Amino acid sequence: MQGSSYRANHSTVKMKPFDISRRNFLQVTALSIGALAPGSKALSQVVGGHTISLVADPHDPICAATPSLWALQELTRAFNQHDIAVQRYASVDQAPASDLCIVAAESASGFATSALRKANASVSSKAESLGLVPFTRKGKPALLACGSDSRGLMYALLELADRVRYSENPLLALRMPRPITEQPFNQVRSIGKLFSSDVEDKPWFNDREMWPAYFAMLAANRINRFNFSVGIGYDTLEYVTDSYFLFAYPFLLRVPGYDVRAVNLPDEERDHNLEILQYISRQAVAHGIDFQLGIWTHGYIWEKTPHSNYTIEGITPENHAAYSSDALAAVLRACPDISGVTLRTHGESGVREGSYGFWKTVFEGVPKSGRKVEIDLHTKGLNQTILDSALATGMPIKLSPKYWAEHMGLPYQQTAIRDLEMPKEDGAGQSFYSLSTGSRIFTRYGYADFLKEDRPYTLIYRIWPGTHRFLLWGDPASNAAHARAFNFCGSNGVELYEPLSFRGRRGSGLPGNRGACAENALVPQYDWEKYLYTYRTWGRLLYNPDADPDVWQRQLRTEFKSAAGAVETAMGAATQIVPLVTTTHLPSAANDTYGPEFYTNQSIVDASKYSPYGDTPAPKVFGNVSPLDPQMFYRINDFASDMLKNQREGKYSPIEVAQWLEDLGNTATAQLMEAEKIAGDGSPAFRRMAADVKIHVGLGRFFAAKFRSGVLYSIHQQSGDRTALAEAVKAYRQARDIWAQFAGDAGRVYITDITFGPRPYERGHWLDRLPAMDDDIASMAKLLESAPNDTAQSTQAQAAVAEALSHPTRRAIACEHTTPSQFTPGKELLLDLLVKHSGVSARLYYRHVNQAEHYQSLELQNRGERFHGVIPASYTQSQYPLQYYFELKQGQEKAWLYPGLDANLMNQPYFVVRSVQA
């Protein structure tokens, strides 16, 4: 496929790419504006059927902007696909009566203002806002497409093009009973694409035909930033076998005054790399997308590496900082369409933590580019000294902490981080990672302490590919909830590392299709085309969490016809499974160590058995693993202990989670079966979807059964109960059989070695994980064989086993609470709670929105149904917002959280109140 149009309806449109180069920018722009002359048909053909008049004033700077010109071209193409002619005009007065007249304009223009006023509508002046306003002209239907700026107008026109492409009756699809106005909910909606494999990534990097289609797809889904990241394949510069772009500068250009080069890289290839970077960044901007360059490594010596495909020559400790600064400036000057750089400054960059002078020098390279360029700082290990150096450049500063560690959890910001990440003492400067493993360790996996109300920077979240990495996903409900979470306490948006990120990492790349399909018929032309539904539901709901469902349903109707509704529900339920697992059970926060999609088994029985999970509490067994949100969810061993003591906290239990996973799997399975009845064997897109839904479901059912086994085994460990052990073995075997079933089915769809790294837990196939499960089950069964069977079962153990095997539904408790609109630092904050239930006590848990802190708590006082408590003035004297929730108890056996999670697991389970300083 060539050209900017992506294959929205799986038909290929052969057209010349929309390629704006610096040499021909003025000519192309002039040609495009000239095409708007009265009666011009330069960009269309009269091919019969209906005729559309398309009006855009060439003197309107927003209409004449490159993204708007491209969107006008896309709309014309969409109509032409339906044999509908488009005639272009410079003004409404010049356009004759036609089947439909579409007027493109700035929303503040005279024509748009009048049309909006008559329609009793308004378009926000906020950047990227849009309006689609129906009106009548000469007795014929007409439509105003307007935007507050060129990107807003581009979105309006692309929405029309999308409706046309996905409709059998385009004119009917453009009939709007009322005006549509939208504005962006999230300021930054970014996709990150990682270069981490010489073998896997060079083909797409150099594919000039792919990039226009890719950016067309992103723009249509309202993604407004693209981050091309290099040097991210390694988190330590040891055993470096594939170093292409690892220390990026010498792979792009020669810096005058330095004799630095990548050994084995021909000069011609280096120069070509720069040309491609210029081309990609230019294409992004032409499609209305900001281009961000991520430079993740500044180290230049590969340790413990006998063989690497490239090494760096000419760098010394003395010139390292100066060269990096000058090289960064040179890249920015050579690529004027780069509007921001992303940098990591902790030890994984290859630079020892605490090297403040080095980073100050590197940051100074940004203003040397001669223009405004945003500095986006990855926040792991970041402290005030480094931040101040970045701020001193005068450039816009953005911080980008991780969202749910290197994973994706439920759609809210963590209530608390794991104990393992709470602050520790620094390593007195001895460690290469003294900050990120010491006093700043809590910056590794969340927003940390960066959400002060008076912050001099903006902040977005970055989603690493630990949870969703390979399988198709897309759930409108949870995506909309995630979108709202990215505005948390004034945050500004999100960057998602796209599916298939880190394929072939650390020298594990293999030739062939990146999607690892075992059958050629299932391989799309571009690997990202498998995930069109992912991009659509993600991008459009980031822009507007309340978007009309037709936005994604029109794609499903085109692809799956009458099976579309069942596919939507099946995909939605399946998508929720692995984030739920991630939230409630996290053996490692690192995405390259743990990923529920390709889970490496952790022993329930024996901590000495192999597992890759280093950052998990000791003893390192399944039942001791911490939830990723330990404030809301029980650890398996802790829950078993409380059951045996006949007491409860309000936290959600592993058994409740198991039931949720089973319910999601049942919904997805039932809906997929319905879709399969309708679709039959189905298209390649249907077969890919069905295969991945089945794997999602299998993963959910596996973890549900293993959670039950883990709880039962812990009951046995703590009570000696033989029945609990017998049921644990049974549940573990059930989990193993579930895994074997979906793994066997997946073997017919995917190749046997799917690589995200060289180590066994980073590559292979689901079938490869079975031997470790079998070994652990055998160990547990051996314990059962030797367990005495003449011991009477205690009443409490009997009740605990019964609960572990049950299908619990927590009864809701009726509460009412109004969150204060704001608080005043240094003054008490009074909180009231109405509980419509007798015999209940209530406790308040509260904390600054600072993940380095532990929660405070206090018992609430009550008068009848109404409880009240006060957060002290000394605690509100803070630069941070406050977050809090309530725990309710009835005796020791029943407990609830309020607000807690709703039945759909889509809400923020705590309250937030911001300061008057916000």
Side-chain angles (χ1 to χ4, degrees):
M1 175 182 59
Q2 296 180 346
S4 290
S5 295
Y6 67 96
R7 296 191 297 178
N9 56 2
H10 294 274
S11 63
T12 302
V13 185
K14 296 286 186 182
M15 302 193 77
K16 183 180 179 181
F18 190 77
D19 185 4
I20 303 296
S21 67
R22 285 287 153 191
R23 291 193 306 275
N24 64 12
F25 177 83
L26 293 176
Q27 291 112 316
V28 173
T29 303
L31 173 62
S32 300
I33 294 175
L36 302 175
S40 171
K41 301 171 187 175
L43 294 181
S44 65
Q45 302 178 57
V46 178
V47 289
H50 299 283
T51 302
I52 303 294
S53 297
L54 183 54
V55 178
D57 181 357
H59 302 294
D60 180 338
I62 286 180
C63 286
T66 304
S68 302
L69 294 175
W70 167 70
L72 288 164
Q73 179 177 302
E74 288 293 283
L75 181 55
T76 299
R77 289 175 172 177
F79 278 120
N80 289 170
Q81 283 181 283
H82 288 274
D83 290 344
I84 296 175
V86 177
Q87 299 195 13
R88 305 273 288 269
Y89 299 92
S91 71
V92 176
D93 295 337
Q94 294 168 349
S98 58
D99 293 296
L100 176 65
C101 179
I102 299 174
V103 181
E106 180 186 3
S107 56
S109 67
F111 183 88
T113 300
S114 175
L116 286 163
R117 184 174 60 251
K118 290 176 183 178
N120 195 29
S122 62
V123 172
S124 171
S125 60
K126 186 177 181 180
E128 304 180 13
S129 299
L130 65 91
L132 295 169
V133 183
F135 65 99
T136 302
R137 177 180 173 273
K138 297 182 180 180
K140 295 279 189 175
L143 191 59
L144 167 67
C146 62
S148 61
D149 54 16
S150 62
R151 199 174 276 169
L153 177 57
M154 178 187 74
Y155 291 155
L157 294 168
L158 292 179
E159 169 63 15
L160 299 182
D162 200 61
R163 291 177 179 227
V164 169
R165 284 198 177 101
Y166 283 110
S167 174
E168 295 181 359
N169 188 334
L171 296 182
L172 184 62
L174 296 186
R175 286 185 187 174
M176 298 179 187
R178 63 188 65 85
I180 296 172
T181 60
E182 293 183 279
Q183 65 185 54
F185 186 84
N186 283 290
Q187 178 186 350
V188 177
R189 307 175 301 281
S190 183
I191 291 292
K193 196 173 186 71
L194 317 182
F195 190 109
S196 58
S197 169
D198 188 344
V199 174
E200 302 251 0
D201 298 335
K202 267 188 179 179
W204 57 254
F205 176 70
N206 289 298
D207 190 344
R208 285 177 174 267
E209 292 188 357
M210 184 277 290
W211 287 108
Y214 178 74
F215 287 129
M217 180 273 294
L218 293 184
N221 294 321
R222 301 189 187 172
I223 297 300
N224 67 355
R225 188 177 98 153
F226 172 74
N227 192 329
F228 174 66
S229 286
V230 294
I232 196 169
Y234 290 84
D235 47 23
T236 176
L237 296 185
E238 296 180 348
Y239 309 106
V240 175
T241 57
D242 179 2
S243 58
Y244 205 91
F245 276 144
L246 185 54
F247 182 59
Y249 305 121
F251 287 86
L252 293 169
L253 44 66
R254 179 182 178 278
V255 181
Y258 301 89
D259 188 19
V260 175
R261 58 189 293 266
V263 177
N264 296 330
L265 183 76
D267 291 350
E268 295 80 5
E269 185 171 349
R270 179 199 63 199
D271 297 343
H272 172 77
N273 286 341
L274 182 62
E275 290 174 6
I276 291 293
L277 183 61
Q278 292 167 332
Y279 172 77
I280 297 170
S281 56
R282 189 167 60 245
Q283 280 292 318
V285 172
H287 289 82
I289 297 170
D290 294 335
F291 188 91
Q292 192 88 5
L293 177 63
I295 303 174
W296 286 78
T297 293
H298 276 81
Y300 59 94
I301 298 175
W302 321 149
E303 302 282 357
K304 303 177 184 178
T305 304
H307 302 289
S308 182
N309 51 359
Y310 301 93
T311 55
I312 306 301
E313 184 177 85
I315 298 283
T316 66
E318 291 73 28
N319 69 7
H320 183 199
Y323 168 79
S324 298
S325 180
D326 290 343
L328 177 56
V331 170
L332 293 175
R333 286 194 295 267
C335 302
D337 290 305
I338 296 175
S339 56
V341 291
T342 299
L343 302 169
R344 71 173 159 189
T345 60
H346 63 87
E348 290 175 16
S349 69
V351 177
R352 179 182 291 274
E353 292 178 7
S355 301
Y356 301 123
F358 176 86
W359 291 112
K360 181 177 184 296
T361 302
V362 171
F363 295 154
E364 289 168 352
V366 178
K368 285 191 291 189
S369 68
R371 68 180 194 280
K372 183 173 76 172
V373 176
E374 179 187 82
I375 300 174
D376 173 355
L377 295 177
H378 176 61
T379 57
K380 181 176 177 178
L382 185 66
N383 67 4
Q384 194 63 45
T385 304
I386 299 175
L387 181 55
D388 285 344
S389 291
L391 290 166
T393 64
M395 297 290 104
I397 303 300
K398 181 177 269 90
L399 304 189
S400 47
K402 295 170 182 173
Y403 177 63
W404 286 102
E406 293 183 2
H407 300 272
M408 183 190 287
L410 292 177
Y412 65 89
Q413 299 289 342
Q414 286 169 274
T415 317
I417 60 176
R418 304 186 303 171
D419 286 342
L420 288 168
E421 278 80 58
M422 294 304 284
K424 301 172 176 59
E425 291 186 9
D426 287 337
Q430 299 302 311
S431 169
F432 204 81
Y433 305 93
S434 59
L435 294 172
S436 63
T437 60
S439 63
R440 304 297 291 171
I441 190 173
F442 65 97
T443 62
R444 293 166 66 93
Y445 298 130
Y447 58 77
D449 59 352
F450 296 116
L451 287 177
K452 294 178 180 179
E453 296 286 18
D454 59 347
R455 52 190 182 265
Y457 46 80
T458 57
L459 184 145
I460 66 169
Y461 299 92
R462 180 169 289 115
I463 301 179
W464 290 63
T467 300
H468 288 306
R469 166 175 292 181
F470 182 76
L471 302 174
L472 176 64
W473 60 277
D475 173 43
S478 59
N479 285 0
H482 282 295
R484 294 183 176 93
F486 302 136
N487 265 209
F488 183 70
C489 293
S491 303
N492 304 94
V494 68
E495 179 169 289
L496 172 72
Y497 280 157
E498 67 176 4
L500 301 181
S501 290
F502 290 128
R503 279 284 278 132
R505 189 181 190 184
R506 300 193 185 104
S508 66
L510 299 172
N513 69 89
R514 292 184 76 233
C517 294
E519 184 182 338
N520 286 337
L522 297 178
V523 181
Q525 179 171 1
Y526 301 128
D527 57 71
W528 47 265
E529 289 181 312
K530 170 183 173 178
Y531 304 97
L532 289 177
Y533 187 64
T534 302
Y535 287 106
R536 179 175 287 260
T537 55
W538 185 254
R540 291 298 298 265
L541 288 161
L542 282 179
Y543 181 91
N544 179 7
D546 297 313
D548 187 333
D550 185 63
V551 164
W552 56 89
Q553 290 174 351
R554 65 180 77 130
Q555 177 191 337
L556 295 178
R557 287 194 301 269
T558 300
E559 286 189 330
F560 306 123
K561 305 298 188 285
S562 55
V567 169
E568 179 181 0
T569 305
M571 277 295 303
T575 295
Q576 295 174 46
I577 288 171
V578 284
L580 176 57
V581 173
T582 297
T583 303
T584 59
H585 182 88
L586 193 83
S588 175
N591 80 92
D592 62 342
T593 304
Y594 170 66
E597 287 184 340
F598 291 98
Y599 175 67
T600 294
N601 197 61
Q602 183 179 26
S603 175
I604 294 177
V605 177
D606 184 355
S608 68
K609 290 182 186 288
Y610 169 79
S611 90
Y613 308 124
D615 59 322
T616 201
K620 298 180 187 300
V621 290
F622 186 78
N624 214 34
V625 168
S626 171
L628 188 46
D629 186 350
Q631 203 71 22
M632 288 286 119
F633 292 91
Y634 263 116
R635 186 168 58 167
I636 285 174
N637 287 349
D638 295 341
F639 178 62
S641 174
D642 274 4
M643 281 199 297
L644 291 169
K645 295 173 184 174
N646 197 28
Q647 64 184 30
R648 293 292 188 279
E649 296 182 34
K651 296 178 180 181
Y652 299 100
S653 77
I655 302 305
E656 288 175 289
V657 174
Q659 185 62 53
W660 296 340
L661 291 170
E662 290 162 359
D663 291 344
L664 289 168
N666 292 340
T667 298
T669 298
Q671 291 299 307
L672 181 59
M673 291 174 64
E674 181 65 25
E676 287 175 328
K677 285 181 189 176
I678 299 168
D681 292 339
S683 64
F686 186 90
R687 292 173 59 200
R688 289 192 299 262
M689 177 279 302
D692 285 4
V693 166
K694 290 174 182 177
I695 296 171
H696 278 295
V697 169
L699 290 166
R701 288 174 172 168
F702 164 81
F703 277 106
K706 192 172 181 186
F707 287 163
R708 291 185 188 276
S709 178
V711 171
L712 288 160
Y713 182 78
S714 188
I715 293 169
H716 161 73
Q717 264 198 320
Q718 297 182 50
S719 69
D721 186 78
R722 191 180 193 281
T723 302
L725 181 57
E727 293 294 342
V729 172
K730 188 186 300 183
Y732 207 168
R733 285 175 173 154
Q734 180 188 11
R736 185 264 182 212
D737 290 345
I738 290 168
W739 187 282
Q741 179 64 52
F742 82 75
D745 293 342
R748 293 187 286 274
V749 179
Y750 294 112
I751 62 175
T752 57
D753 191 9
I754 304 170
T755 60
F756 289 93
R759 294 169 287 202
Y761 55 86
E762 297 170 326
R763 68 186 306 167
H765 193 273
W766 295 275
L767 291 169
D768 301 340
R769 274 54 175 174
L770 287 171
M773 297 178 196
D774 291 336
D775 178 69
D776 205 37
I777 291 169
S779 295
M780 190 183 288
K782 189 173 182 180
L783 291 175
L784 179 61
E785 290 173 6
S786 61
N789 53 18
D790 56 353
T791 304
Q793 187 179 33
S794 70
T795 302
Q796 203 54 50
Q798 185 177 16
V801 170
E803 183 170 351
L805 295 171
S806 71
H807 302 280
T809 300
R810 188 183 298 214
R811 182 173 58 86
I813 187 168
C815 298
E816 293 179 10
H817 170 70
T818 300
T819 310
S821 59
Q822 59 186 21
F823 72 92
T824 302
K827 292 189 177 180
E828 293 182 341
L829 180 64
L830 175 65
L831 299 173
D832 286 302
L833 176 68
L834 179 65
V835 182
K836 298 180 179 180
H837 199 90
S838 61
V840 171
S841 63
R843 177 167 286 274
L844 171 70
Y845 288 83
Y846 62 94
R847 192 198 71 185
H848 299 124
V849 179
N850 178 353
Q851 292 176 320
E853 298 181 6
H854 291 284
Y855 277 81
Q856 310 293 309
S857 73
L858 59 88
E859 193 75 21
L860 298 183
Q861 304 302 309
N862 71 302
R863 299 186 185 91
E865 294 181 334
R866 190 165 295 279
F867 291 79
H868 69 272
V870 174
I871 297 178
S874 58
Y875 196 82
T876 69
Q877 187 64 57
S878 169
Q879 296 174 293
Y880 293 97
L882 296 171
Q883 63 186 96
Y884 61 92
Y885 67 94
F886 303 97
E887 182 183 56
L888 310 171
K889 283 193 173 183
Q890 189 173 47
Q892 291 298 311
E893 300 83 18
K894 293 182 180 179
W896 300 264
L897 299 177
Y898 182 75
L901 292 166
D902 62 23
N904 295 320
L905 311 180
M906 298 289 178
N907 66 307
Q908 178 178 280
Y910 50 84
F911 302 101
V912 173
V913 57
R914 298 187 66 184
S915 162
V916 294
Q917 300 170 348

